[in-house]
Amino acid sequence: MTSNTTKPDSLQPAAEMAVDLFDNWFDPIETEVRARAREFVEELIRGELDAVLARPRYGRSQMAGNEGRAGVAGHRHGSRTRSLTGTFGPIEIAVPRARLTTSEGKTAEWKSQALRAYQRRTLAADALIASTYLAGTNTRRVRRALAALFGGTVGKDTVSRTWRKVKSDWDAWNTRSLAEEPIVRLILDGTVVRVRLDRKATVISLLVVLGVRADGQKVLLAIKSMGGESAEAWRTVLDDLIKRGLRRPEFLIVDGAPGLDKAIASVWDGVPVQRCTVHKHRNLFAHAPERLHDEITADYNDMIYAATPEEIEIRRKAFIRKWRLKHRAVADSLEEAGERLFTFTRLPPSQWRSLRTTNAIERLHEEFKRRIKTQTVLPSADTAAMLFWALLASGQINMRKVDGWQTLATKPIDQPIDLAA
């Protein structure tokens, strides 16, 4: 006895019709736009040449005799094919050619201003490639992400070359004059990053300086790659700012690193300095077992976030008395910061939120680390600094005005809080 096995009719057609993802995503609008892009670009360049020659293609002067030739600056001689990739995708265009008469009576090849010599991508396409890179991915992933848009014409090397074009703007930014910048406050902090140095992964420090203008707007002033956060390293950064015309600031916010304190004292001695309260909070944890951390946090926050200088002074004394008895290392750590931990109390309370910490830079550090997470190790120290700057210069990260900017004109009072416990 034989049995006949049959398969559903639907299975075979389904297998035959199987397609890759996105294969059937035909978009007539995109197709028509890309088809029109070639015509538009060619017409744009032809119009540019018509304006130079003062006559359209195949045009004849209306004037008679030699008067008609007086306005002729040269002559056309065919065209050449160029490949161009833009946000509209890759296209082949016919670029007209012409010889122009020079003042010496000779001729020279006409060069389009709209389409530069050897240009293979539009500036918008380059900006898109660079922005995708800055959004937090590596060169290979940028190529894959933009493959559909650019028809596979953008390779890993193209992404790298496009990114290197940013360097000219980076160099100009590093040497710009700061004499006209109305900076009243500086926030200084550093972060570490892994880069490739001599073909080995190496940890370096990025030293960052944010400025606050008189209107409250934060602005990046410097970002330099250094071997560490020593006094010499920070002194190099500060000396460069002063050399470029930066005025003496009215207020400084720092993380408490000894090297930075020494560098500041050598160039701006006497300027009020606020030590970051968040960094000191972390330091207190380092001096106590974990089971005491919640209690330390509660007491510390009650002190730091009190509403008036008088309340802060009272709660500080209470903190010192309590922790001298309970765990003296915590009290000693708080006293080590001295009055610099409470310099913010010398200005109006409306500014306290922006004065207490270096959070403005810490947020930039976090965004920067998030963007480079996929790369693990950056190609070089210069690339690390340039990438940090480009995130702000390109608008990928925006900075707002500081809290309490309306009272920035108020000068710090001379009387600090009483540190006696």
Side-chain angles (χ1 to χ4, degrees), residues 318-339:
F319 185 101
I320 295 295
R321 287 195 298 268
K322 172 182 175 178
W323 288 98
R324 273 180 179 167
L325 296 174
K326 190 162 189 174
H327 197 76
R328 188 177 184 86
V330 174
D332 292 343
S333 179
L334 183 70
E335 289 185 306
E336 176 272 331
E339 66 179 35

